[in-house]
Structures are given as C-alpha cells and as structure tokens.
Amino acid sequence: MIFTLGRSLSVTYPLLGKYIKEKIMQPTISSSNRNPQNSLFLSPGEFCTCHICVPDSNERMAAIMFNKQYYSFFKSVKEREKALSVVAKLQEKDNNALIVKTPKGYTIWVLEPTAYLSRSKQ
C-alpha cells in the first residue's frame, strides 16, 4: 500500500498531511523494541511502502520505510540463503540492508541515508 498526498488535498487539509507523516507512514513497531542490525528480516506491519528520490537522481524508486529511514528496492531472490548471501556482500561494502519475505521469495532493500519521500506522479 502506498500513501500519497496530492497537492490540493494537502492545501485543503494541512493537518491531514501532518497526520499521515506522523501516524500512517510510521512503522507499527517502535524503534526501542527492534533494531535492524539485530535482525535482517522484517515482517508485514513493521514497515511502510513508498517511493523515494535520492539527490543524484530525479527518478522515483520503490522503497520501504523502517525506523524512520528509507530503504530502496535492490533485488528479489527465491531462496533465503541467497538473500542472506547478497546482504552479506552488501554489508562487506558498508551498505546496510534488510530482507522482506514475500509470497514468491525474498526482497532485499538497501539503506538510502540521503533519500527523501517522492511526490506522487502527476
């Protein structure tokens, strides 16, 4: 599920935009209960899906938000061991990554520390 707030809606209802950012876009699990370094795997409800941009590109990227940080989509694989192997290689290159189990396998998401939430396509 992706939440976007159109420009006209945010002008008409400015508090709605604030509510979405503070409540809806926040993961359901608090950062004090879980640290992404302790576990690479996320469960449904622990993250929000969205689109982000990074400063060196104007393209929108699929992303998740976890612990108030954005992670861009990196790769999908079918086996758990392959997902762990890919994340290990990313970590060797100082890239933080998370894994989300999907019906078809596992998706790998990479931390984007300079990312910002993308505006909806118009």
Side-chain angles (χ1 to χ4, degrees), residues 8-113:
S8 62
L9 186 59
S10 63
V11 171
T12 308
Y13 302 102
L15 294 178
L16 180 60
K18 182 178 178 183
Y19 176 80
I20 288 173
K21 287 179 184 174
E22 291 177 359
K23 303 291 183 195
I24 297 175
M25 293 298 291
Q26 295 301 317
T28 58
I29 193 166
S30 72
S31 58
S32 62
N33 294 337
R34 171 123 184 219
N35 187 332
Q37 284 75 25
N38 292 341
S39 177
L40 298 173
F41 291 88
L42 296 181
S43 300
E46 291 184 296
F47 60 91
C48 295
T49 59
C50 58
H51 283 93
I52 59 170
C53 293
V54 291
D56 57 338
S57 173
N58 288 332
E59 290 187 41
R60 297 172 78 225
M61 297 186 289
I64 61 172
M65 185 178 71
F66 176 70
N67 277 350
K68 299 180 183 179
Q69 294 182 308
Y70 296 113
Y71 293 78
S72 65
F73 174 77
F74 181 72
K75 186 177 191 174
S76 289
V77 295
K78 291 184 180 180
E79 297 87 23
R80 176 185 172 97
E81 294 75 24
K82 178 66 176 171
L84 290 169
S85 172
V86 169
V87 168
K89 288 178 184 176
L90 287 167
Q91 289 177 338
E92 286 174 6
K93 297 178 182 180
D94 293 326
N95 291 306
N96 291 331
L98 296 172
I99 302 169
V100 174
K101 174 107 174 71
T102 66
K104 294 185 178 184
Y106 300 86
T107 56
I108 301 163
W109 303 85
V110 178
L111 179 64
E112 297 287 352

